Amino acid sequence: MNNQPINPQPKCVVITCFDAHQPGYLDFAYRIAALAKVYQLIVVSQHALNQPEFQSIAAQHHVISHRGGKLGWFTYLIKCARLARKHKPAVLVLLHSATAPITLLTSHIPTCVYWNEHPSNLMQVSAQQSAFKNGLTKWLHKLIFLGAQRASVVMPIGEAHADDLLHHGVAPNNISLCYMGVADQFLINNPVQINSNVIRLVYTGTVSEARGRDVMLQAMKRVADAQLPVHLCIVGASEAELLYCQQAIQTMHLQGFVEVVGRVAGNEIPHYLAQADAAICLWQASPWTLFNPPTKLFEYLVAGLPVLASNIRTHTRYISHGENGLIFDYNAESLAQAITHLCHRIAQLPAMKVQARHTGEPYLWRTLESVFLNTIRKVHA
């Protein structure tokens, strides 16, 4: 008689590719936690996953150091492919667009790719680079799309990504749209309530020039000069950005109008959203912002917060002006006008909050989790 314990769960290898400076991990944690419920899970990363989001997930972890740069990334993919072939999992989950080329080295393993970033953002073509470097970057973009073509299924996080994958030769039957998802903890108990006589705005996520840092500060300068009853809390600044913003607040005399908070764990974000009446989502226009819908947009909606969103298609696809938010052009004057509009129509804010919550319901992870797991199961059924 064979007395060895039998584990009925099939084996799954998950390969990640995290940026050491990225502000959030929740969408990845949702997926890894879901997979841990039904698979023997091996999670591969470039460094130990010490973030709070991963601590309660039952999985075997394997670290393959990443030297950085294009060569380091390429070497990491080769080592990950070797590890996957060694473990012979029932399914391989590549939990980042940057890992897609691994499919070219593991063709016999059913493979799913989480398509969360456009290749043009992963490796950027720039006028400041040489023609050789830009040519290499474009070739690597093609390599990533080729990896997507070879996958059993690709799971884009938004419609624009799905359309782009079709344009780049991925078979329609191999594309399964699955939004990033938002946990129930982002649901605010009373989203209709206005918290005080001051309209409280919140911004969460990366704080940088490209993410509208200066646009927000300059808009709030106009708000402060007009003595409008508005307060903005910016959450997620690195130490350098925290210092920059604090100095700007002093220079612009924005004390009492703007508060800046450093980086916090993803599970702390609902605390800040619960104190807000509306939220800001803005991004400087670029090739990749036409494809990547930001996580914060859906977290805001689930929390019942109308979204003041800059005018790019990855915002306007989900935000309807005057219904669940306001659309503004990417400049301080236009954002200030949107905030002023909100102040002058504060009576409409409760209805906008209700509509925001309603719009956010399809993006709850509790609904999307089964879609995600069923997509994974189908590729190795």
Side-chain angles (χ1 to χ4, degrees):
M1 180 181 292
N2 186 350
N3 294 320
Q4 291 184 347
I6 298 174
N7 191 331
Q9 294 180 317
K11 185 184 293 184
C12 172
V13 171
V14 175
I15 296 175
T16 68
C17 193
F18 296 137
D19 185 326
H21 303 291
Q22 70 182 65
Y25 296 87
L26 283 179
D27 59 320
F28 303 104
Y30 299 153
R31 285 158 173 76
I32 293 174
L35 291 168
K37 297 175 184 178
V38 294
Y39 292 100
Q40 302 175 58
L41 205 60
I42 299 171
V43 179
V44 185
S45 58
Q46 311 99 300
H47 45 75
L49 300 181
N50 297 321
Q51 293 79 11
E53 293 89 339
F54 300 110
Q55 296 312 300
S56 62
I57 301 175
Q60 177 185 337
H61 291 270
H62 191 100
V63 175
I64 298 176
S65 298
H66 189 330
R67 294 186 301 171
K70 293 181 176 67
L71 180 60
W73 162 75
F74 200 71
T75 304
Y76 175 71
L77 299 187
I78 292 172
K79 290 180 178 179
C80 288
R82 186 181 302 137
L83 181 144
R85 292 195 301 268
K86 174 184 175 182
H87 283 280
K88 299 178 181 178
V91 64
L92 175 63
V93 177
L94 305 180
L95 207 57
H96 201 291
S97 308
T99 60
I102 290 175
T103 63
L104 306 175
L105 304 171
T106 56
S107 57
H108 64 288
I109 303 174
T111 304
C112 307
V113 179
Y114 176 50
W115 195 261
N116 64 313
E117 289 271 8
H118 195 266
S120 62
N121 189 26
L122 299 172
M123 299 172 189
Q124 298 174 16
V125 173
S126 169
Q128 285 70 48
Q129 292 184 153
S130 67
F132 173 78
K133 286 186 176 180
N134 281 335
L136 176 61
T137 298
K138 292 177 182 178
W139 182 83
L140 292 174
H141 291 170
K142 292 179 181 179
L143 183 69
I144 294 171
F145 279 116
L146 181 59
Q149 292 173 22
R150 299 292 179 86
S152 307
V153 67
V154 184
M155 292 176 285
I157 61 174
E159 292 85 353
H161 273 309
D163 293 342
D164 187 57
L165 287 164
L166 286 170
H167 176 73
H168 283 89
V170 179
N173 291 340
N174 290 355
I175 297 174
S176 179
L177 178 66
C178 187
Y179 300 107
M180 286 175 282
V182 179
D184 282 7
Q185 69 188 94
F186 283 85
L187 291 165
I188 306 302
N189 290 333
N190 188 1
V192 177
Q193 179 180 348
I194 299 174
N195 292 318
S196 69
N197 294 327
V198 176
I199 293 180
R200 298 194 171 271
L201 304 176
V202 67
Y203 168 90
T204 62
T206 301
V207 179
S208 67
E209 182 179 5
R211 297 294 182 100
R213 174 200 65 201
D214 297 330
V215 172
M216 288 189 288
L217 292 171
Q218 291 164 12
M220 287 303 295
K221 171 62 175 171
R222 289 168 167 79
V223 168
D225 289 346
Q227 289 296 303
L228 294 174
V230 179
H231 180 271
L232 169 62
C233 182
I234 299 174
V235 182
S238 65
E239 290 185 12
E241 292 292 347
L242 192 61
L243 178 61
Y244 178 95
C245 292
Q246 289 171 341
Q247 290 175 341
I249 289 170
Q250 292 288 333
T251 302
M252 297 181 182
H253 306 291
L254 293 176
Q255 300 91 336
F257 287 89
V258 179
E259 173 190 6
V260 184
V261 177
R263 289 185 173 175
V264 301
N267 56 14
E268 295 181 43
I269 295 296
H271 165 75
Y272 293 96
L273 301 189
Q275 300 176 57
D277 301 303
I280 296 176
C281 194
L282 73 173
W283 214 347
Q284 188 176 37
S286 65
W288 52 88
T289 57
L290 298 177
F291 298 99
N292 294 351
T295 310
K296 66 173 70 67
L297 180 68
F298 304 108
E299 293 173 346
Y300 295 160
L301 292 173
V302 165
L305 297 180
V307 183
L308 279 60
S310 58
N311 190 12
I312 55 176
R313 72 180 185 187
T314 39
H315 294 162
T316 58
R317 182 182 288 271
Y318 311 102
I319 303 301
S320 298
H321 186 77
E323 296 182 15
N324 60 350
L326 299 172
I327 303 298
F328 63 91
D329 292 330
Y330 185 83
N331 60 68
E333 179 62 30
S334 186
L335 175 55
Q337 288 174 359
I339 295 171
T340 302
H341 180 96
L342 202 62
C343 289
H344 291 166
R345 292 165 177 78
I346 194 169
Q348 299 173 12
L349 190 51
M352 293 177 72
K353 284 172 169 271
V354 171
Q355 185 60 32
R357 168 67 66 82
H358 177 71
T359 307
E361 288 176 359
Y363 308 111
L364 282 166
W365 180 246
R366 69 160 92 133
T367 302
L368 297 171
E369 182 177 27
S370 61
V371 176
F372 172 73
L373 287 176
N374 288 337
T375 300
I376 303 291
R377 288 189 184 102
K378 285 179 183 177
V379 305
H380 67 93

